[in-house]
Amino acid sequence: MTEARPPAADPRAERTRERLRLALLAECAERPLAAVSVSAVVRRAGLGRATFYLHYEDLQALAVDACAEVVRQAVDALHAWRGLPDPAAPPPALAAFFTDAALHGTLYRSLLGPGGSGPLGELLHRELRERSRTERELAGARHADLVATAVAATFTGVLADWLHERVEAEPGTIAADVWRLLIALHRAVP
């Protein structure tokens, strides 16, 4: 799988990738990813096809890179609390994350299949698992790998199924429900 964000040794390369990401997001605001072409993206970005292929293997690699911010937002939202977590009060960043995800649902659904499959699901699971494992180890909690895997799988699966309308809930409600599930996972294996 292509890395979500290639190393940016050159600021010009990062600016070019940013133009391509923004162009793809603009195209996807008008039509599904499956209907978007490399030609349309490079035309909108004001770049050539060769430039596109210097930075990305294909449109899916660009789409994952463009959506990688959602991964960072999800991981940060789930860890946006300090002290003892209150099951009745999810971090406000978590509800904001689900609200934003709903706005970009069409694009995210094309990269995040039901149950959490797909390139965006793999990236989200990997990043969330690593952050959860690291924080659990820092806290001295046992079974860091087990709980981190359960947390990543649960969040990724619920997000995907919610985006695919297999779980019906408003953003604030799904945030509160996911929050309680994740706290229960942490408490199940102290």
Side-chain angles (χ1 to χ4, degrees), residues 25-188:
L25 293 173
E27 287 293 318
C28 288
E30 298 172 4
R31 66 189 59 78
L33 179 61
V36 174
S37 67
V38 170
S39 297
V41 170
V42 297
R43 185 173 34 255
R44 188 178 287 259
L47 300 167
R49 286 179 74 85
T51 300
F52 175 90
Y53 289 109
L54 283 174
H55 297 278
Y56 297 101
E57 181 178 313
D58 54 24
L59 274 176
Q60 182 172 306
L62 170 59
V64 170
D65 187 27
C67 294
E69 184 61 27
V70 76
V71 170
R72 286 184 284 283
Q73 289 171 357
V75 171
D76 289 345
L78 285 173
H79 294 89
W81 56 273
R82 293 292 170 248
L84 291 175
D86 179 359
L94 189 57
F97 166 78
F98 276 99
T99 299
D100 186 60
L103 296 174
H104 303 290
T106 302
L107 177 58
Y108 297 160
R109 279 190 297 276
S110 68
L111 299 169
L112 181 63
S117 62
L120 190 58
E122 292 171 14
L123 178 63
L124 177 58
H125 186 277
R126 184 175 55 247
E127 296 288 326
L128 184 53
R129 183 184 185 285
E130 182 59 28
R131 176 91 169 260
S132 295
R133 185 188 59 74
T134 299
E135 290 201 5
R136 195 160 170 92
E137 286 176 348
L138 288 172
R142 298 178 320 124
H143 306 293
D145 286 331
L146 174 67
V147 175
T149 295
V151 164
T154 298
F155 183 81
T156 303
V158 170
L159 172 64
D161 283 0
W162 179 72
L163 286 169
H164 285 275
E165 299 177 347
R166 293 179 170 191
V167 175
E168 292 185 28
E170 293 298 316
T173 302
I174 196 70
D177 291 345
V178 165
W179 183 242
R180 284 190 298 277
L181 282 171
L182 298 179
I183 289 172
L185 286 171
H186 280 281
R187 290 181 176 166

